[in-house]
Amino acid sequence: MSGRKRKTKTMIIVPEKEIAGLLTRADAFEAVEKVFASMSKGSAYNFPVIREAIGYEDALYGFKGGFDKAGMALGLKAGGYWPNNLEKHGEINHQSTVFLFDPDTGKVKAMVGGNLLTALRTAAASSVSIKHLARKDAKVMGMVGAGHQATFQLRAALEQRDFEKVIGWNYHPEMLPNIERVANEAGLPFEAVPLEGLAEADVVISITSTFAPTIMADHIAPGTHIACMGTDTKGKQEVEASLLARATVFTDEVAQSISIGEAQHAIASGLIEQSDVHELGAVINGTHPGRTSADEITLFDGTGVGLQDLAVASSIVDLAVEKGVATIVDF
Ligand code: NAD
């Protein structure tokens, strides 16, 4: 063995049911803020995303991977969106699993349930954008979307500013009680509004699965920060493309924003250029000023990057072993 390091001979499995007891919103926020900063410094990068309509169950399935050299996290998240799950199988529509590999040998290290992890890391991303881009005096929180992710998004967002009220619109109005409950749990009143009513919001999060824009440019007032979190696939679109031309646009990753994110449409129609899309990581690192005036619209195009998943999954694996809730399998 001289001169050779003994390498991992086990695979660690952390099942979905254990994630809730392992990852807090604060942990997810910290991991995501850190990895956005690393991406912007060039010490971590994402691989091109594979995302396919598989021609069965209307499902979109794919892989998001990356390598964070600083955190030594290598791996991928496999999964996607099954729109009929809830109705047909009583399962949530978003299903995924994270696989981590040993960067020294390529051997598989861990398999981690990715569903709750996805919701927490996605909510952390919009929260990080609110922390760095929303006006400090934001009081009215606006939600577009009331599905599975929306509740996590709202819960995390409300921790970022002293909000006094939540307003919301959803394509399926019968789902609005999902977000009303979260607002009320935080001690805030909730009001269902028409899309035009969003002009009252200081911060808006959109998290829907639509392929046709529902939020028009004139629904959003000057000074608003909007986090567009639903568009993570070619063809999806939540906001009118001209809103991106009116806003200062930030994203988790520029390559994803212009190909599978909200910016794909504004770029395709020539309304903005790639150089108009800025990394949120640059704002975190202080190399981009972020919001520069009180009436500027800031827009975060949150496409969801593999490195977010790897960052939170890595921290979960260590904790799961420490707490004795991981299954350790010998090779
Ligand atoms: P869900 O099925 O639980 O909810 C879907 C939401 O979209 C509901 O609010 C529904 O009313 C709304 N909706 C459906 N059809 C619509 C239409 N035609 N027009 C307007 N709204 C419509 O899904 P979810 O798990 O909450 O995920 C929502 C979206 O977020 C999905 O598109 C998913 O792919 C995306 N997502 C993105 C990330 C990311 O990192 N950016 C992460 C997870 C999920």
Side-chain angles (χ1 to χ4, degrees), residues 86 106 140 146 151 165 206 227 293 319 322:
L86 197 58
V140 179
T151 56
K165 176 178 167 184
S206 61
S293 78
L319 265 175
E322 214 174 275

Side-chain angles (χ1 to χ4, degrees), residues 177-329:
N178 294 341
I179 53 172
E180 177 167 20
R181 214 168 296 123
V182 176
N184 294 165
E185 275 164 20
L188 297 178
F190 175 82
E191 189 190 329
V193 293
L195 281 163
E196 294 72 24
L198 288 175
E200 194 195 343
D202 303 305
V203 174
V204 174
I205 292 178
S206 61
I207 181 94
T208 66
S209 51
T210 183
F211 281 75
T214 46
I215 303 174
M216 299 296 137
D218 61 7
H219 292 152
I220 299 299
T224 306
H225 172 62
I226 175 165
C228 303
M229 304 304 295
T231 297
D232 54 1
T233 303
K234 199 166 168 45
K236 278 189 185 174
Q237 186 175 9
E238 294 192 289
V239 306
E240 189 179 21
S242 60
L243 179 61
L244 280 84
R246 261 182 75 201
T248 311
V249 180
F250 299 87
T251 186
D252 39 22
E253 198 196 65
V254 174
Q256 286 197 184
S257 171
I258 64 170
S259 57
I260 59 168
E262 205 58 54
Q264 63 181 294
H265 308 287
I267 295 266
S269 48
L271 289 167
I272 62 168
E273 293 178 1
Q274 180 170 334
S275 57
D276 295 319
V277 182
H278 312 283
E279 290 175 320
L280 178 57
V283 182
I284 299 167
N285 290 335
T287 54
H288 187 288
R291 167 180 294 279
T292 51
S293 78
D295 58 5
E296 179 178 3
I297 295 174
T298 51
L299 184 149
F300 175 61
D301 186 7
T303 62
V305 292
L307 285 171
Q308 276 170 271
D309 300 298
L310 304 189
V312 286
S314 299
S315 58
I316 282 174
V317 169
D318 296 341
L319 265 175
V321 172
E322 214 174 275
K323 291 192 169 180
V325 296
T327 301
I328 302 177
V329 183

